[in-house]
Amino acid sequence: MTGSASPAGKWAQLDEILRPVDADLEANYPGERAEPQPVHTAYVSAADVAVDTPASWGGQAAALADEAADLLVELTGGDEVVVDLARRRLRHNPIEDLRIDLEDGYGWRPDDVEDGHARRAGEILAAWTDMRPHAPRSAGVRAKGLGAAERARGLRTLELVLDGAGGVPDGFVFTVPKLRDVRQVDAINVVCAEFERAHGLPAHAVRYELQVEIPQAVMSADGRATVAEAIHRGTPRLSGLHYGTYDYSAACGIVSAQQSLTHPVADHAKAVMQSAAAQTGVWISDGSTQVVPVGGPDKVEAAIRRHHALVLRSLERGFYQGWDMHPGHLATRWVAVIGFFRSAMPTAAQRLQAYFDRTSGDVVDEPATAMSLAAVLDRGLSAGAFTTDEIVQIAPLCSPERLDALRVGGGGLPA
């Protein structure tokens, strides 16, 4: 590689090889989305949902938090502030994301009955857009899937939901259950394009999520990771992957008593989902537990402890969203989320302070780690676990401007 060629000319062949690689990587892995990920998705049957469902669920959850205050404080390690912040959230904005369920949680009903519930679901979704921030900031439906026996019913339901809403509500997203083949993603893209055309929306305006509850969604017949290909066929319309705890476990042959978010088959599926979605902007959501805090005091306490532990386990493994199936789950969800990020904030802020100050300490962080630490602060702020003033009191260099610059890859050192 010596001679009279100019330095730029020496590597022209490499540039020719790598330029399309650069373009592909930029297109396929654009990084995390700027909007905050919801901490949960609440599921409510279309037969039971009403305009006041978020407030009703929040009120029931707040009552449980009051009744179980001592237990919740114990679960936080004695931090009453966490429980107080969770109570505040339950009173004002208890549900961040909600799906009106017309699939497994709804069942099969006469067509005229489901037609009516679908239209009513659309009316409720439209009403919520005028009630924010006290209503979910994103909401939608889960209709029946793309299998031969149910797809006609599912597509009719989706059309009727949008008819009832008078269009596509702001923040609308629908969940596609039981993904089995990447070609189903191509079909959903066609459906979305038709909705966009019919309602005069720009391309890629309608968003959907894929529910991973069949093993073929993780590994296809040829040994490839179905979810990885699905992500790149589905984006930018595809916004999330949701793990379906019980259908997936059952399809893997796990007996009902052992079906859980913590089973090894669940961990394997979610690890594949997490790796496939990394740096794509597609969110991952953990699944649900069927154990709810009802019954006698012992059963309620056991359910609270179980759900709190499951939420913490998910957070520790990098799954920042999960399903909530009962109003009582909101109490433990918010206590666990707020407690997790509030306890993580001081260390994250101090390490970022050292990074911005370029001082040495017990840990020397690199830019990628600094961006991860900033994400901890972003998620905690979004959850209401602390304020920017609390961050700056601990780490004066962690101003909102520096954190914003770090988030977009500028190293956190604005000009």
Side-chain angles (χ1 to χ4, degrees):
M1 300 295 292
T2 60
S4 59
S6 67
K10 287 198 302 183
W11 303 111
Q13 185 178 3
L14 288 184
D15 283 342
E16 184 177 346
I17 294 170
L18 294 176
R19 192 175 296 111
V21 175
D22 296 338
D24 286 346
L25 289 173
E26 184 176 357
N28 291 326
Y29 301 99
E32 297 304 315
R33 283 147 64 180
E35 61 187 297
Q37 182 177 3
V39 303
H40 63 173
T41 300
Y43 271 77
V44 185
S45 169
D48 302 323
V49 73
V51 172
D52 69 348
T53 290
S56 174
W57 273 45
Q60 294 176 64
L64 176 64
D66 290 340
E67 294 170 7
D70 291 343
L71 173 59
L72 293 174
V73 171
E74 176 200 325
L75 292 174
T76 66
D79 193 339
E80 295 184 9
V81 172
V82 169
V83 179
D84 288 342
L85 290 171
R87 281 198 187 103
R88 183 184 307 169
R89 191 79 196 219
L90 294 173
R91 287 194 301 270
H92 299 291
N93 191 353
I95 298 177
E96 288 199 309
D97 185 44
L98 189 148
R99 294 295 165 276
I100 299 175
D101 195 9
L102 290 125
E103 202 235 358
D104 282 353
Y106 176 80
W108 284 91
R109 305 180 188 224
D111 282 341
D112 61 332
V113 173
E114 182 162 342
D115 286 352
H117 282 148
R119 290 191 184 93
R120 176 61 177 155
E123 294 169 1
I124 291 170
L125 292 171
W128 284 341
T129 62
D130 296 326
M131 296 169 58
R132 293 175 184 145
H134 303 296
R137 58 182 169 87
S138 58
V141 298
R142 178 174 68 169
K144 293 174 176 64
L146 296 173
E150 67 266 17
R151 64 171 166 260
R153 177 67 261 185
L155 292 172
R156 176 172 173 80
T157 292
L158 284 173
E159 289 185 302
L160 290 172
V161 167
L162 296 183
D163 286 347
V168 180
D170 182 47
F172 177 78
V173 58
F174 67 96
T175 301
V176 181
K178 298 176 176 59
L179 171 70
R180 296 189 70 183
D181 190 292
V182 293
R183 289 169 291 185
Q184 293 173 325
V185 177
D186 298 335
I188 287 297
N189 287 336
V190 170
V191 171
C192 290
E194 176 57 25
F195 287 158
E196 290 157 357
R197 184 201 64 77
H199 294 281
L201 296 171
H204 308 141
V206 177
R207 297 182 303 151
Y208 65 91
E209 301 157 339
L210 296 172
Q211 200 167 343
V212 178
E213 50 185 338
I214 304 292
Q216 291 83 38
V218 172
M219 183 175 293
S220 65
D222 60 6
R224 293 191 294 179
T226 307
V227 290
E229 190 170 355
I231 286 170
H232 298 290
R233 289 199 190 195
T235 51
R237 290 188 178 101
L238 175 62
S239 62
L241 300 176
H242 286 223
Y243 178 67
T245 309
Y246 300 101
D247 282 9
Y248 191 94
S249 299
C252 287
I254 309 304
V255 298
S256 59
Q258 302 302 320
Q259 293 172 5
S260 165
L261 295 177
T262 64
H263 194 281
V265 301
D267 284 340
H268 170 261
K270 289 180 288 187
V272 174
M273 293 163 61
Q274 192 173 40
S275 297
Q279 299 180 338
T280 66
V282 172
W283 290 332
I284 302 296
S285 175
D286 209 340
S288 64
T289 175
Q290 83 280 37
V291 180
V292 298
V294 298
D298 290 346
K299 286 189 175 181
V300 171
E301 178 178 344
I304 288 173
R305 290 186 182 277
R306 176 185 177 86
H307 189 240
H308 186 269
L310 287 172
V311 175
L312 279 184
R313 184 182 191 271
S314 296
L315 293 168
E316 290 166 355
R317 285 157 176 77
F319 301 106
Y320 300 110
Q321 183 177 354
W323 291 11
D324 288 331
M325 310 294 287
H326 183 272
H329 286 158
L330 301 184
T332 38
R333 172 72 60 183
W334 283 112
V335 167
V337 168
I338 290 172
F340 176 82
F341 286 111
R342 192 168 178 83
S343 65
M345 184 271 282
T347 298
Q350 289 163 2
R351 286 173 64 178
L352 279 173
Q353 172 82 7
Y355 173 79
F356 291 141
D357 198 29
R358 296 293 193 263
T359 59
S360 60
D362 295 337
V363 180
V364 180
D365 290 314
E366 297 186 359
T369 302
M371 292 176 69
S372 178
L373 292 167
V376 171
L377 301 184
D378 285 341
R379 290 183 185 277
L381 287 167
S382 177
F386 43 78
T387 65
T388 54
D389 287 344
E390 289 178 282
I391 295 173
V392 174
Q393 286 175 7
I394 293 172
L397 293 180
C398 291
S399 65
E401 293 77 17
R402 284 181 180 270
L403 294 177
D404 286 342
L406 186 58
R407 186 186 304 110
V408 299
L413 301 173

